[in-house]
Amino acid sequence: EDQVTQSPEALRLQEGESSSLNCSYTVSGLRGLFWYRQDPGKGPEFLFTLYSAGEEKEKERLKATLTKKESFLHITAPKPEDSATYLCAVQDIAYSGAGSYQLTFGKGTKLSVIP
Amino acid sequence: EPEVTQTPSHQVTQMGQEVILRCVPISNHLYFYWYRQILGQKVEFLVSFYNNEISEKSEIFDDQFSVERPDGSNFTLKIRSTKLEDSAMYFCASSEGGDYGYTFGSGTRLTVV
């Protein structure tokens, strides 16, 4: 069974204070690892997909990296508008293709950035 | 920017009643999904739909659940006889294919009383 564990559960940062969120995963075969942002009462908003160890992707103040066991979401000089819950999800090769690319999500890290 | 639209945003129903949750996916997308999120818990996969049929479903998606794409634009999730434990946020999502991140709708909050 696929497992995704995110840490910490919650993180409070001062504006400008950089940090990293962790996502560790267990899958039979990784097809892709996804990062999403979720605001309260809203659906997840797609940020990145990573496919292989060593891959990195960046978007504004966010950078996602991937190893064979975990992924990190680095937040550089965060602003209050970065406050949200960040979700990590994996696509397992075993469940991919033939019309389905289902995701297994972690519980998320709730990030609060204080002005 | 194209978006996935879900209606209603909030539905309250009595236990044992049937509910239909509606979604309009992005027009050129080929894969459609329903996920749910019980308050304080993970987003969980329910079902995927491709080429006008269910392609995968989870253990949660039992005989009480069904999906339809009745007219080529709408995508619906029906719960035949709701239970208290069906109370959750239900998200519809669509994608062009597996190599693309899904686009999620804003969700329908279902409350069963």
Side-chain angles (χ1 to χ4, degrees):
Chain A
E1 184 180 323
D2 298 343
Q3 291 198 345
V4 179
T5 303
Q6 292 188 246
S7 62
E9 289 185 13
L11 181 64
R12 281 170 64 96
L13 297 174
Q14 289 295 125
E15 185 171 359
E17 180 188 0
S18 301
S19 188
S20 295
L21 314 182
N22 176 263
C23 170
S24 61
Y25 62 89
T26 305
V27 293
S28 56
L30 182 70
R31 191 179 186 283
L33 185 139
F34 295 74
W35 282 97
Y36 285 85
R37 168 190 171 128
Q38 187 176 28
D39 292 301
K42 300 286 188 184
E45 176 189 342
F46 173 71
L47 294 173
F48 304 109
T49 312
L50 302 166
Y51 296 103
S52 55
E55 191 175 357
E56 298 183 353
K57 292 232 174 120
E58 284 190 65
K59 180 178 179 179
E60 295 180 359
R61 294 177 291 283
L62 301 176
K63 183 167 90 172
T65 62
L66 181 66
T67 73
K68 287 187 178 178
K69 298 279 189 192
E70 55 193 351
S71 177
F72 292 93
L73 185 66
H74 307 277
I75 303 176
T76 302
K79 299 182 177 181
E81 53 262 41
D82 295 321
S83 297
T85 296
Y86 290 86
L87 303 176
C88 172
V90 296
Q91 248 179 17
D92 192 328
I93 288 174
Y95 303 116
S96 299
S100 178
Y101 296 94
Q102 68 183 81
L103 298 175
T104 300
F105 281 85
K107 287 190 77 171
T109 294
K110 184 174 181 180
L111 174 67
S112 302
V113 182
I114 314 301
Chain B
E1 187 168 328
E3 58 181 31
V4 174
T5 305
Q6 289 187 244
T7 55
S9 57
H10 190 189
Q11 175 136 15
V12 181
T13 189
Q14 294 217 324
M15 194 168 54
Q17 293 293 106
E18 175 184 286
V19 294
I20 298 176
L21 309 184
R22 301 180 192 280
C23 169
V24 179
I26 294 172
S27 60
N28 64 332
H29 285 187
L30 301 175
Y31 299 83
F32 312 109
Y33 303 86
W34 285 100
Y35 284 76
R36 79 171 186 191
Q37 187 174 31
I38 294 172
L39 189 63
Q41 297 191 25
K42 299 182 183 187
V43 177
E44 300 174 289
F45 169 74
L46 292 178
V47 65
S48 57
F49 193 86
Y50 171 73
N51 203 24
N52 287 318
E53 62 182 14
I54 291 174
S55 47
E56 193 74 49
K57 59 184 180 180
S58 71
E59 291 175 354
I60 302 167
F61 194 88
D62 61 21
D63 292 344
Q64 292 300 312
F65 291 88
S66 62
V67 289
E68 270 193 336
R69 192 157 156 78
D71 56 13
S73 60
N74 291 288
F75 182 49
T76 62
L77 174 69
K78 183 194 289 187
I79 309 174
R80 256 180 278 283
S81 178
T82 50
K83 308 184 189 83
L84 294 176
E85 54 264 37
D86 293 327
S87 295
M89 194 77 157
Y90 287 81
F91 294 109
C92 173
S94 67
S95 71
E96 291 180 70
D99 289 345
Y100 301 89
Y102 299 3
T103 301
F104 282 85
S106 287
T108 293
R109 180 168 298 284
L110 178 66
T111 304
V112 183
V113 297

